[in-house]
């Protein structure tokens, strides 16, 4: 049975909990990813950021997770994206995938992260050290 976990939340994200959620006795590989807030973007110092999500974001996240989980090589998928204000070093996106072998797990986790970044209606407001700001991924 494939477990699909997907959440959009204002709560801090726990990578270890996502890894535990995809644990499977058949799995020889669990690959995880944490996208963390960095202190720079394109050569500019970032002091804070905030994510805002469309009301459909959680449903789309679950849809993406289910698509990845439909791969017969994938045993389980867990993915979450944080919204609201985040500090430098906070996890904004965490994902974990389990499969029988490492190559399939790496490939599935990469697809998961890429699809989430491409399809999730979540926008990022970055505040720079010079007091300016920008919105990223806005339509």
């Amino acid at each position: 049975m494939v477990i699909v976990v997907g959440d959009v939340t204002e709560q801090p994200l726990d990578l270890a909990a996502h890894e535990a959620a995809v644990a499977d006795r058949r799995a020889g590989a669990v690959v995880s990813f944490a996208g963390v807030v960095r202190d720079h973007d394109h050569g500019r110092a970032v002091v804070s950021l905030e994510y805002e999500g469309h009301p459909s974001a959680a449903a789309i996240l679950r849809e993406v997770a289910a698509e990845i989980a439909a791969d017969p090589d994938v045993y389980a998928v867990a993915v979450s994206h944080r919204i609201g204000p985040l500090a430098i070093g906070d996890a904004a996106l965490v994902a974990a995938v389990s499969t029988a072998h490492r190559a399939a797990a790496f490939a599935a986790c990469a697809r998961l992260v890429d699809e989430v970044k491409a399809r999730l209606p979540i926008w990022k407001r970055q505040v720079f050290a010079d007091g300016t700001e920008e919105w990223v991924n806005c339509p």
Side-chain angles (χ1 to χ4, degrees):
M1 180 165 124
V2 175
I3 301 165
V4 178
V5 177
D7 198 15
V8 174
T9 180
E10 292 185 13
Q11 299 303 312
L13 302 180
D14 183 347
L15 183 60
H18 284 68
E19 292 167 340
V22 302
D24 188 298
R25 292 177 54 92
R26 301 169 296 162
V30 172
V31 170
S32 59
F33 171 82
V36 298
V37 176
R38 61 183 181 270
D39 68 356
H40 63 92
D41 190 26
H42 300 324
R44 300 174 69 190
V46 174
V47 294
S48 67
L49 61 81
E50 180 177 358
Y51 285 96
E52 287 193 20
H54 187 272
S56 66
I60 292 170
L61 186 69
R62 287 188 296 275
E63 180 180 291
V64 170
E67 288 171 12
I68 300 302
D71 181 330
D73 289 335
V74 173
Y75 295 144
V77 173
V79 60
S80 296
H81 201 298
R82 191 161 166 201
I83 56 173
L86 280 76
I88 305 302
D90 284 349
L93 169 64
V94 297
V97 175
S98 63
T99 67
H101 302 285
R102 72 178 178 275
F106 278 116
C109 193
R111 280 193 324 271
L112 175 61
V113 171
D114 289 346
E115 285 298 311
V116 166
K117 297 295 285 180
R119 293 170 45 192
L120 205 61
I122 290 183
W123 306 279
K124 176 172 64 173
R125 180 179 148 264
Q126 298 187 112
V127 178
F128 298 101
D130 65 6
T132 61
E133 64 181 47
E134 75 174 351
W135 284 91
V136 180
N137 296 334
C138 285

